[in-house]
Amino acid sequence: MDLQPYIRDIPDFPRPGVMFKDITPLLQTPAAFSYVIDQMAAHYKGRAIDGVLAIEARGFLLGAALAYKMEKPLIPLRKRGKLPFHTVSVSYALEYGSDTIEMHQDGLVAGHRVVIVDDVLATGGTMGAACRLVEQSGGKVAGLALLMELAFLNGRQSLAAHDIFALLKY
Ligand code: AMP
């Protein structure tokens, strides 16, 4: 299935110079949304996977559906200060400044193998931080699942150790 028609380009959002990849047309099209989740689930079928980590915010939309489909625990990774229980966190550099993502302390069982889900792989900073958080918590990264990869930003380079599954490449 060609997913490109369901990704809308929004120039200069959220700031000038950024071409935002809006996935809401895809979410509004059940055949496209279910295709994405089915393809992701098929990629991991037969592999040892213990859970699905979903990155705030659009990663939640895909990650929740994937966890449901795979019948695996869903673990949210959130921006700083959003999770109510004890957390573990990791910070990562942005173009200007830094950001922090957090997970509940009991989100991962040591040794568990997880898939990390997000909508877009850009520079790879967010995914890299999520991988570090999993590894610091004693988990293992079984794979990275994305709807799309902005290949011109070379995010893959810093994540070379991991299996990256992306349905679209730009
Ligand atoms: P990065 O850490 O640079 O790989 O950026 C990935 C994160 O930022 C993901 O959570 C994406 O949702 C978001 N993101 C980065 N670039 C874009 C884009 N062009 N369109 C939509 N989301 C983006």
Side-chain angles (χ1 to χ4, degrees), residues 5-57:
Y6 306 106
I7 308 297
R8 181 162 51 195
D9 280 354
I10 312 283
D12 300 318
F13 183 88
R15 53 176 193 276
V18 176
M19 181 63 83
F20 189 84
K21 296 291 188 186
D22 175 21
I23 67 166
T24 59
L26 185 140
L27 298 172
Q28 285 168 241
T29 310
F33 188 24
S34 59
Y35 175 81
V36 167
I37 300 306
D38 290 351
Q39 290 290 305
M40 286 181 174
H43 182 75
Y44 299 109
K45 198 168 173 63
R47 302 189 192 192
I49 307 288
D50 301 302
V52 174
L53 261 76
I55 299 180
E56 184 174 0

Side-chain angles (χ1 to χ4, degrees), residues 36 58 68 98 127 131 148 167:
V36 167
R58 289 176 298 282
Y68 177 82
S98 71
M127 266 299 179
C131 290
M148 75 192 93
L167 282 150

Side-chain angles (χ1 to χ4, degrees), residues 26-128:
L26 185 140
L27 298 172
Q28 285 168 241
T29 310
F33 188 24
S34 59
Y35 175 81
V36 167
I37 300 306
D38 290 351
Q39 290 290 305
M40 286 181 174
H43 182 75
Y44 299 109
K45 198 168 173 63
R47 302 189 192 192
I49 307 288
D50 301 302
V52 174
L53 261 76
I55 299 180
E56 184 174 0
R58 289 176 298 282
F60 287 177
L61 302 166
L62 301 170
L66 184 62
Y68 177 82
K69 174 89 186 172
M70 293 174 66
E71 299 184 39
K72 298 294 178 191
L74 173 66
I75 304 128
L77 295 190
R78 300 210 62 180
K79 310 246 161 78
R80 193 202 328 243
K82 300 281 190 183
L83 287 167
F85 189 55
H86 303 298
T87 57
V88 286
S89 67
V90 69
S91 296
Y92 58 103
L94 297 174
E95 197 177 347
Y96 303 103
S98 71
D99 222 336
T100 302
I101 49 169
E102 296 184 334
M103 177 178 70
H104 271 160
Q105 224 169 44
D106 60 358
L108 268 187
V109 176
H112 270 191
R113 296 170 51 82
V114 295
V115 174
I116 308 176
V117 185
D118 206 353
D119 62 337
V120 176
L121 180 68
T123 65
T126 310
M127 266 299 179

